[in-house]
Amino acid sequence: MARWTPDPSFYPSPKLAMEAPEETLAYVALLEPDQSSRPDALGVIDLESGSDTYGQIVSTVEMAAPGDELHHFGWNACSAALCPTAPRPHVERRYLVVPGLASSRTYIIDTKDDPRAPKIVKTIEPEELVAKTGYSRPHTSHCGPDAIYMSGLGGANGADEAGGIYRVDCETFEPLGPWESQQDSPQRYQYDFWWHLNKDTLVASEWATPSMFEDGVVPEKLLAGEYGHAMHVWDLRTGKHVKTLDVGPEQQMVLELRPAHDPSREWGFVGVVVSTADLSASVWHWYRENGDWKIRKAITIPAEPAEPELLPPLLQGFGAVPPLVTDLNLSLDDRFLYVSCWGTGDFLQYDVSDPFDAKLVGKVRLGGIVSREAHPASGPLKGGPQMVEVSRDGRRIYVSNSLYSSWDRQFYPSGLDGWIAKLDVAPEGGLTLDPAFLTTEFDGRLPHQIRLEGGDASSDSYCFS
């Protein structure tokens, strides 16, 4: 008799996922810098140790048309499919769901037949997305227990409308409509979202309306405190708003959310890009205490003084380089938090075994607006660590240097040369650059988000400890 078994890349718990085989491929979003001359692409990088093409792009999939601005893509299904609340063990981690933030188009890319040469099999056009969900500007995709969840940063009627969260069927890829049942919530904008599945809790963060980011940072709105400065707690089952966790109007752009992977833990970390008080960046710790959700500043990263002539026009009046925390990642054992400082070029590792007492245990600098710190395999680098991905066993980290086309031009006006670097992690903490790994051949495109074959530290969520 045939036996029905789940996808072998699904794991009931983060502890078991850490024992998974080492990744041999990575998928990376490749952005065309001017977003007009040719389409963005999805690149495939060979990560198999000893391979003749190790660290190189082995294939690319071009999107349908220029101007997509590919962003935070994800898998159609993952370990969340094993959750008892909505078990779907028959689905498989096969398709990448790749949103175009600028075009409102979403590509479904099949990796199964040949993982080294995936292909587009379906496109969700913007007209369908808007008609069925009321949202536009798709940004982030997470595989949930019952569907694919996605954030749309814009509304149906233009760049000045805020977005929300919607769901997509993980097998047919039909948009299923908005997720929220409460349309008049206190959440002003949409950005990232994630959850504490066993607690029926979704958390969401705030960036801006599309008109406030599509052409770069709007200085007047930044200084006026008009960007997002809160995260929000929602009831996952009912889609109703529970609580606003406001970090203060001077804390601008509350972006990447990283909840604890252990489903018994009710805490996580969120990054704040910049403080208008002193250009510092920060990481905040949310947690539940006696049934009440709270937030506190866990980490402050100061700005660095710099000669004005070395700075882009946006920053010359301040005479300093802001760290610009643009991405976070948390190892599957919830021990190490990684922080990308895209402005200064620092990549930081904190021991958060006690989330109330984060300790800096590792630091590497690559690039930076002023420092342009070199890699052992190169000269000075343009850009800084931006998107970060951590292997399931926590021993390897991959960082890329492009954020968003208009922001790349605004903060690095001399232009970027795309690169992906690899760092190795010591068992007890500490970071070492792999001197032989620096991927730079992207045919003029710039690398953004990275996903690892079979899952990584930010792909899956779990319902068992």
Side-chain angles (χ1 to χ4, degrees), residues 240-384:
K240 293 183 177 179
H241 189 273
V242 174
K243 187 170 184 178
T244 298
L245 300 175
D246 198 324
V247 299
E250 76 283 357
Q251 306 292 342
Q252 290 285 279
M253 305 183 213
V254 180
L255 298 187
E256 304 296 338
L257 295 157
R258 296 292 180 253
H261 296 285
D262 184 334
S264 69
R265 295 170 174 162
E266 294 180 275
W267 55 259
F269 293 96
V270 62
V272 174
V273 175
V274 66
S275 165
T276 56
D278 56 10
L279 291 191
S280 66
S282 54
V283 178
W284 295 67
H285 168 221
W286 83 81
Y287 60 100
R288 197 174 191 183
E289 183 178 70
N290 298 323
D292 189 25
W293 292 99
K294 300 180 180 180
I295 196 166
R296 51 177 285 276
K297 186 187 285 189
I299 298 166
T300 300
I301 305 168
E304 297 182 357
E307 295 298 325
E309 62 269 20
L310 300 177
L311 296 168
L314 178 68
L315 299 174
Q316 286 176 355
F318 297 98
V321 181
L324 301 178
V325 166
T326 53
D327 198 16
L328 308 176
N329 218 321
L330 184 65
S331 60
L332 282 185
D333 58 4
D334 295 333
R335 180 174 181 184
F336 295 122
L337 179 72
Y338 297 97
V339 181
S340 290
C341 300
W342 189 61
T344 57
D346 282 340
F347 185 72
L348 308 175
Q349 179 191 37
Y350 292 88
D351 187 327
V352 291
S353 300
D354 178 356
F356 288 92
D357 185 21
K359 294 182 171 66
L360 182 65
V361 293
K363 177 179 177 179
V364 170
R365 176 164 288 195
L366 287 169
I369 291 172
V370 170
S371 61
R372 295 190 61 191
E373 190 70 27
H375 186 279
S378 80
L381 293 176
K382 296 180 180 180

Side-chain angles (χ1 to χ4, degrees), residues 7-21 78-80 82 93 392 454 460-464:
D7 185 313
S9 73
F10 294 175
Y11 294 89
S13 70
K15 183 176 181 180
L16 290 172
M18 292 185 70
E19 300 172 3
C78 58
S79 299
L82 302 180
R93 189 195 307 267
R392 287 175 294 188
D460 292 31
S461 44
Y462 307 89
C463 284
F464 300 93

Side-chain angles (χ1 to χ4, degrees), residues 19-352:
E19 300 172 3
E22 187 172 327
E23 66 279 355
T24 63
L25 293 174
Y27 300 96
V28 57
L30 301 176
L31 308 183
E32 183 62 33
D34 65 11
Q35 284 295 299
S36 62
S37 60
R38 60 176 176 166
D40 294 342
L42 185 79
V44 183
I45 302 177
D46 183 356
L47 298 181
E48 187 169 2
S49 181
S51 168
D52 291 341
T53 54
Y54 176 69
Q56 298 178 27
I57 294 281
V58 294
S59 72
T60 57
V61 182
E62 282 205 347
M63 302 301 110
D68 282 317
E69 191 81 48
L70 300 185
H71 233 65
H72 294 184
F73 63 98
W75 294 102
N76 67 306
C78 58
S79 299
L82 302 180
C83 289
T85 53
R88 302 215 284 183
H90 66 285
V91 298
E92 57 184 337
R93 189 195 307 267
R94 173 173 179 171
Y95 301 97
L96 288 168
V97 181
V98 185
L101 179 54
S103 68
S104 294
R105 189 180 293 115
T106 302
Y107 298 96
I108 310 302
I109 299 180
D110 190 350
T111 69
K112 184 175 182 177
D113 291 341
D114 185 353
R116 293 169 66 96
K119 56 188 178 183
I120 298 171
V121 294
K122 181 170 181 172
T123 303
I124 303 172
E125 297 292 348
E127 296 80 10
E128 180 183 9
L129 177 65
V130 169
K132 292 183 177 178
T133 71
Y135 297 133
S136 63
R137 277 70 167 193
H139 179 271
T140 294
S141 173
H142 283 310
C143 38
D146 59 333
I148 302 163
Y149 286 65
M150 300 187 71
S151 61
L153 302 195
N157 298 314
D160 291 318
E161 278 192 347
I165 298 171
Y166 60 95
R167 298 186 308 138
V168 175
D169 188 280
C170 76
E171 295 177 275
T172 66
F173 303 105
E174 296 294 324
L176 300 175
W179 166 75
E180 305 94 337
S181 63
Q182 179 181 347
Q183 299 299 314
D184 58 346
S185 81
Q187 183 161 344
R188 292 192 302 160
Y189 311 125
Q190 180 62 51
Y191 184 72
D192 196 12
F193 67 95
W194 216 332
W195 37 57
H196 298 285
L197 286 177
N198 284 5
K199 310 299 179 181
D200 283 329
T201 297
L202 182 144
V203 290
S205 62
E206 298 184 340
W207 188 13
T209 62
S211 64
M212 296 166 65
F213 63 75
E214 287 184 331
D215 295 320
V217 177
V218 182
E220 298 78 12
K221 291 183 178 294
L222 178 69
L223 294 175
E226 293 184 27
Y227 286 84
H229 52 81
M231 62 171 284
H232 299 266
V233 181
W234 291 74
D235 187 293
L236 179 60
R237 189 177 297 271
T238 65
K240 293 183 177 179
H241 189 273
V242 174
K243 187 170 184 178
T244 298
L245 300 175
D246 198 324
V247 299
E250 76 283 357
Q251 306 292 342
Q252 290 285 279
M253 305 183 213
V254 180
L255 298 187
E256 304 296 338
L257 295 157
R258 296 292 180 253
H261 296 285
D262 184 334
S264 69
R265 295 170 174 162
E266 294 180 275
W267 55 259
F269 293 96
V270 62
V272 174
V273 175
V274 66
S275 165
T276 56
D278 56 10
L279 291 191
S280 66
S282 54
V283 178
W284 295 67
H285 168 221
W286 83 81
Y287 60 100
R288 197 174 191 183
E289 183 178 70
N290 298 323
D292 189 25
W293 292 99
K294 300 180 180 180
I295 196 166
R296 51 177 285 276
K297 186 187 285 189
I299 298 166
T300 300
I301 305 168
E304 297 182 357
E307 295 298 325
E309 62 269 20
L310 300 177
L311 296 168
L314 178 68
L315 299 174
Q316 286 176 355
F318 297 98
V321 181
L324 301 178
V325 166
T326 53
D327 198 16
L328 308 176
N329 218 321
L330 184 65
S331 60
L332 282 185
D333 58 4
D334 295 333
R335 180 174 181 184
F336 295 122
L337 179 72
Y338 297 97
V339 181
S340 290
C341 300
W342 189 61
T344 57
D346 282 340
F347 185 72
L348 308 175
Q349 179 191 37
Y350 292 88
D351 187 327
V352 291

Side-chain angles (χ1 to χ4, degrees), residues 397-461:
I397 298 173
Y398 304 89
V399 295
S400 60
N401 71 325
S402 175
L403 191 153
Y404 185 82
S405 296
S406 59
W407 292 47
D408 290 349
R409 293 190 292 270
Q410 192 173 34
F411 287 95
Y412 289 90
S414 63
L416 297 184
D417 298 319
W419 50 264
I420 294 176
K422 173 177 171 284
L423 301 98
D424 296 316
V425 181
E428 298 305 313
L431 298 172
T432 305
L433 268 174
D434 182 339
F437 191 108
L438 185 69
T439 303
T440 59
E441 297 299 325
F442 302 108
D443 191 26
R445 294 184 174 100
L446 300 175
H448 187 59
Q449 194 192 24
I450 301 164
R451 284 288 182 215
L452 303 182
E453 171 196 30
D456 43 56
S458 63
S459 288
D460 292 31
S461 44

